[in-house]
Amino acid sequence: MKPKLLFFLMNGVGGAERMTITIANFFDREQYDVRYVLVQQGDDAICQFMRKDDAIIRIPCKRIYLSTCPIYRLLRRERPQVVFCASPAINARLIVAARLVGIIRVVVRNSNMFSFERRDVQWLMKRTYKWADCIILQQDEMREDLHRRIPRLPREKTITLNNPIDVVHINEGITAPNPYPKDAKAVNYLWVARFAQEKAQDVLVHAFAIVRQQQPEAQLWLVGRYNPDSEYVRKVLSVISEKGLGESVHLVGHDSNPYRWMQHCDCFVLPSRFEGLPNALVEAMYLGRPVVAARCLDIIKEMVSEGQNGYTCEVGNAEELADKMLLAVRLKDCKMTYQPARKEDFINVITGNDK
């Protein structure tokens, strides 16, 4: 019998969910029985990123806090050898359910700093993470933060693994046609992210208004899911209107293939107020795009080599962001300096073969 691995994820299209699928795809289906468990009701949009022949199990809970018992019943029925999850709200409940059932190995992954999580999730993490077999952190800063917040958590239970890159999926995506209008003079700036306060689209629009004063041909493309009725989106739209940018700032909405936008942009911009580890930035750098990134994490300074593949700026500083955007579009032959984790690293850690 092939070892059965269950990958738990929330029913949404976020960075943690996409990364869970990337990691699951590292496992050879000839050697492992890989199955996904979708927790919480949703539109199943995340399924488009899964393999067509992968088994999907649904736990249609209306509220995450009601999921522990359904997860427990599922684990008793499926009896997997390993369970994995990268959503802290589910992590804690999965750890408890798995220990009650007696699952061999429980691996969880944090996609944000501990301090960025809601207080109820922090409370659960403090009380359950000691029972996990392994906790994967995206970067050392995140690992140290976790140990400061949970001082009794054994260090041998945590490991830092940089985000991997789904090279196959990206390389397939960039074969799609160039989505930008055919305008030889246009300079296309790009940001790929859901609309949210922490993603700082408002700061980017303010910076872009400054850029347009020196670069009238500039265009800004915001690719990501948004709700036009949300307070934050209305705020961003208000800035666009106030600055007279209605013809040069484009809200594209969700696109399941953001890589076609990255491949052909002139500069990728990450203005975030905070991040776990920005997958979109890593992907843009893999594609050789010049980048500008706010220093919302210490690792940003290690990822971006100033003046070679991009520039960094202070968080929330629209003026500095604009200056760096104007500089970045002049860069050529950008090389990636970020070192992603290998698929073998994840396979060994998740299965316990790294011991």
Side-chain angles (χ1 to χ4, degrees), residues 113-235:
M113 301 283 281
F114 180 95
S115 53
F116 293 167
E117 301 295 345
R118 298 196 319 262
R119 289 191 177 184
D120 60 321
V121 175
Q122 292 179 5
W123 187 90
L124 288 170
M125 291 168 64
K126 286 181 177 179
R127 284 153 182 80
T128 62
Y129 267 35
K130 61 185 177 182
W131 295 329
D133 290 294
C134 183
I135 303 161
I136 300 174
L137 291 311
Q138 298 179 74
Q139 29 121 341
D140 289 334
E141 182 184 359
M142 190 180 291
R143 187 184 185 199
E144 295 307 314
D145 179 59
L146 185 67
H147 282 289
R148 281 196 300 271
R149 305 292 183 149
I150 313 178
R152 294 186 180 181
L153 178 66
R155 278 198 166 268
E156 60 269 19
K157 284 183 177 282
T158 63
I159 185 172
T160 298
L161 284 179
N162 289 342
N163 285 359
I165 298 177
D166 188 351
V167 173
V168 173
H169 194 67
I170 294 175
N171 290 345
E172 288 176 355
I174 62 176
T175 61
N178 184 341
Y180 299 102
K182 294 181 179 179
D183 183 349
K185 294 182 179 180
V187 178
N188 294 307
Y189 293 93
L190 174 69
W191 178 208
V192 177
R194 61 184 172 82
F195 273 68
Q197 181 75 20
E198 63 268 24
K199 300 300 183 181
Q201 283 92 348
D202 58 315
V203 176
L204 177 53
V205 172
H206 278 290
F208 181 70
I210 300 172
V211 168
R212 284 275 296 184
Q213 293 174 8
Q214 299 186 48
Q215 205 173 55
E217 67 277 17
Q219 301 287 311
L220 174 61
W221 303 83
L222 303 175
V223 178
R225 195 181 302 276
Y226 69 94
N227 177 0
D229 296 325
S230 77
E231 181 179 350
Y232 181 69
V233 173
R234 289 200 301 268
K235 174 183 177 180

Side-chain angles (χ1 to χ4, degrees), residues 5 30 33 42 55 72 99 105 127 145-146 159 176 178 182 206 219 223 227 243 251 262 272 285 297 331 337:
L5 282 61
E30 295 295 323
D33 180 1
Y72 169 77
R99 286 302 171 226
R105 187 163 178 80
R127 284 153 182 80
D145 179 59
L146 185 67
I159 185 172
N178 184 341
K182 294 181 179 179
H206 278 290
Q219 301 287 311
V223 178
N227 177 0
K243 300 292 184 180
L251 277 65
M262 293 181 187
S272 297
M285 295 177 71
L297 293 166
L331 297 176
T337 52

Side-chain angles (χ1 to χ4, degrees), residues 64-102:
I64 290 296
Y65 66 80
L66 298 174
S67 65
T68 306
C69 287
I71 291 174
Y72 169 77
R73 290 193 293 268
L74 171 67
L75 295 183
R76 285 196 62 183
R77 183 178 76 244
E78 295 291 329
R79 292 287 173 177
Q81 279 69 50
V82 180
V83 292
F84 174 92
C85 186
S87 301
I90 301 177
N91 287 352
R93 294 168 173 85
L94 177 61
I95 291 169
V96 171
R99 286 302 171 226
L100 289 174
V101 173

